[in-house]
Amino acid sequence: MGYHWTTRCCSAFALIAAFTGTGIAQQTTTVGPPRNDRRDEARNAALGLFPATELWDLPLNNLLQATPVFKNDRGYFPIGDGQIAAYDVRHGTLLWIAPAHALFEPILAQNLLFTIEPDAIVALRDDTGVEAWRVALDERLSAPLVCHNGWLIATAASGAVLAFRASDGVLLWRQDLDAVIHASATVADDRVYLPMTDGRIIALQIETGEQVWEHRLGGAPNEIQATSDLVYAGSTDNYFYALRARDGLIAWRWATGGNVVGRPVVDKRLVYFVSFDNVLRALDKNTGNQRWKRGLAFRPTRGLVVIGEAVIASGLSRSATAFAMKDGTTVGSMAGAGEELAAPPHVVTGEGPPVVVLVSRDLTQGTIVTAWTRGFDPKVLPMVPLPNPVPPPVAPEPLPDQPAETDRATEDAVMP
C-alpha cells in the first residue's frame, strides 16, 4: 500500500503545507475535451491501467452528504457540518474547504461548482471555493442540476423545469409540467430530455422551454443518454428503450431481468448498460441486437464509467471491475479501502498513466478515498533462506590406523 494519510477537516488547512508536493509521481453533460487533451487520453488509454497498484489512500474522517464530483485531477466532496472539501486527487492533497449544505451531487462547468442547498442554488469558484453567485429558491428541487453550453437546468418537486444562465444565475425560462421528474435531466444538442415518474419522456427546446415531443413508456424511465439520432433509457418495466430523437417514437427495445441502473454509455457502435439482474450488456446502438453480455459478481447501483477502451462497473461491493468494450472480457479490478463504494469511479488522465479514484464508506473512518494507477515494476520480495538447505560435501577423515593417501604417496616416492 502507498501513502496513508489521516485528515480531519478542522485541521485540514494545516495539512496542506505538510503534504503539498508529496505523493507518487458522471454525470454532468460535458463538451468534448480540447484536441491536445484527446491525444493525451488516447495515449494513456493505449498505455492502460492494468496491472493496477494502489497509489495512496486518504481517510476523510467524515461522512459524505452527497455524491462527490470530479474535474480531471480535482475532486469535490460534500461532507458533514455543511462543507465541501476540494482535493487534488492525483496526489491526495487538500486544496480548500468552503461552507455548502449540498442536497445533491454538485456539478462542474465554466470554472464554477454548482450546488443545491435547501433554499438556494449556489455557484462557487472551483479553484478557491469563493461564492460567485447565489439564487434563492421558492420551491425545493428534486434532482441534481444539469449544465450544458452555458445553460443550467433545474427541476423542482412541483414538476417545474427552470433554465438559468450559468454565468450569473439569471432565470431565462420556466416550464411547468404535470408530473414529477424521476431521474436527472439530460441535455443534448438543443434538447432537454426529462424522465418523468408517470412513464413519459418529455423533450423540451432548450432555447425556450417549449415542448417538442413526449412519449410514454411501460414504466418510469431512468437516466437518459441521448445522441443526435436516438434517445436511450431504461425503465421500471424491465425494458431498455431507444427512441428516435426527432419525434420520440420507439426505434427498438430490449427486455432485461431488472431495472436498468444509471445512465447508459454509447460509442460509435454499441450502447452499454447494467441492470438489477446483475448483468452488463452491450447492444447494437442502431438495431438493439445484443453483441455480448457479462454477469457481474455484485449488484450494480450506478452507471458505467469509461476508461480508454473499457468500461468500469461498480455497485454493492468494495471493488470495481473493468470490462473490454469490444467483447466484455474482464480487464482487471480495483478495491476501495472501505466496506463499500460510495460513488462512481473517477478516471484522471493527462501526463503519465491514468489514475482511478475510488470513494468508499467505512464504519470507523467515514469516507476513504483511494487512488489506483498502473504498476510498472515487479514487487521486490525480501530475501529468505531456501527451505531445507543441503550442506556442501565434506572430504572423509582418514582412519586412525592407516596413513593418509598423501602420506602413502610420499613414502612410495622415497623408497629405493
Side-chain angles (χ1 to χ4, degrees):
M1 184 180 301
Y3 294 113
H4 186 91
W5 301 321
T6 302
T7 305
R8 292 191 180 275
C9 290
C10 60
S11 60
F13 288 104
L15 290 175
I16 298 178
F19 290 128
T20 300
T22 61
I24 304 174
Q26 256 84 73
Q27 171 185 330
T28 56
T29 305
T30 57
V31 183
R35 189 170 300 172
N36 290 338
D37 290 345
R38 291 195 186 102
R39 287 199 294 266
D40 289 339
E41 290 175 0
R43 182 172 64 251
N44 288 325
L47 183 62
L49 176 68
F50 298 97
T53 184
E54 187 176 314
L55 186 60
W56 54 259
D57 67 76
L58 174 68
L60 299 184
N61 292 314
N62 228 310
L63 294 176
L64 287 176
Q65 301 301 304
T67 303
V69 65
F70 297 89
K71 180 181 179 181
N72 201 23
D73 61 355
R74 303 291 176 91
Y76 303 86
F77 299 85
I79 55 177
D81 300 325
Q83 295 177 313
I84 286 185
Y87 282 87
D88 176 345
V89 294
R90 186 176 283 278
H91 303 101
T93 54
L94 179 70
L95 301 175
W96 53 259
I97 293 180
H101 296 268
L103 296 180
F104 297 100
E105 174 186 354
I107 64 167
L108 286 157
Q110 297 184 334
N111 298 321
L112 294 173
L113 176 70
F114 302 97
T115 65
I116 297 175
E117 297 194 352
D119 58 355
I121 298 175
V122 181
L124 306 176
R125 301 290 180 189
D126 64 6
D127 56 346
T128 63
V130 175
E131 185 174 307
W133 55 259
R134 173 184 294 261
V135 172
L137 296 173
D138 296 329
E139 53 191 327
R140 193 178 183 89
L141 299 187
S142 60
L145 299 166
V146 177
C147 192
H148 179 76
N149 285 350
W151 294 87
L152 187 66
I153 306 299
T155 53
S158 64
V161 182
L162 304 98
F164 299 89
R165 192 162 56 204
S167 59
D168 55 14
V170 172
L171 180 64
L172 301 175
W173 54 259
R174 175 189 176 111
Q175 179 69 271
D176 290 294
L177 304 177
D178 55 354
V180 180
I181 194 169
H182 185 245
S184 297
T186 295
V187 179
D189 296 330
D190 60 348
R191 304 280 179 84
V192 180
Y193 297 100
L194 302 161
M196 311 303 290
T197 54
D198 62 359
R200 291 178 297 164
I201 292 180
I202 299 177
L204 304 180
Q205 174 62 243
I206 194 170
E207 294 285 343
T208 62
E210 295 181 0
Q211 183 169 314
V212 180
W213 55 257
E214 66 175 54
H215 190 92
R216 190 179 300 273
L217 307 181
N222 296 316
E223 290 182 273
I224 294 170
Q225 181 65 272
T227 68
S228 57
D229 299 319
L230 292 170
V231 177
Y232 303 94
S235 173
T236 56
D237 65 348
N238 294 352
Y239 274 93
F240 183 78
Y241 291 88
L243 281 63
R244 297 191 314 200
R246 66 177 182 269
D247 54 18
L249 296 180
I250 295 176
W252 53 263
R253 67 175 187 171
W254 183 271
T256 65
N259 291 348
V260 174
V261 187
R263 200 181 308 273
V265 168
V266 182
D267 64 12
K268 294 181 180 179
R269 302 182 304 111
L270 305 176
V271 54
Y272 311 83
F273 60 92
V274 290
S275 51
F276 278 156
D277 54 356
N278 300 352
V279 176
L280 163 62
R281 291 178 173 85
L283 310 181
D284 185 289
K285 71 173 188 177
N286 295 316
T287 65
N289 294 330
Q290 183 169 277
R291 297 308 183 190
W292 55 260
K293 70 175 182 179
R294 292 292 178 269
L296 302 175
F298 49 83
R299 186 175 180 84
T301 56
R302 57 188 66 92
L304 300 165
V305 174
V306 177
I307 175 170
E309 298 299 323
V311 289
I312 304 176
S314 62
L316 296 179
S317 170
R318 64 189 300 264
S319 300
T321 305
F323 300 87
M325 298 173 80
K326 64 178 181 180
D327 56 10
T329 302
T330 301
V331 179
S333 63
M334 303 151 288
E339 287 86 3
E340 178 183 305
L341 295 183
H346 170 65
V347 180
V348 182
T349 58
E351 295 300 325
V355 173
V356 173
V357 179
L358 301 179
V359 182
S360 55
R361 300 184 184 92
D362 185 79
L363 292 177
T364 59
Q365 301 181 82
T367 304
I368 304 178
V369 186
T370 310
W372 288 77
T373 190
R374 183 178 176 86
F376 289 95
D377 298 324
K379 294 182 178 179
V380 178
L381 300 178
M383 298 296 292
V384 296
L386 293 174
N388 301 322
V390 179
V394 179
E397 294 290 337
L399 296 176
D401 56 347
Q402 294 183 355
E405 291 296 325
T406 55
D407 296 340
R408 188 181 299 276
T410 302
E411 293 175 0
D412 294 340
V414 299
M415 289 183 65

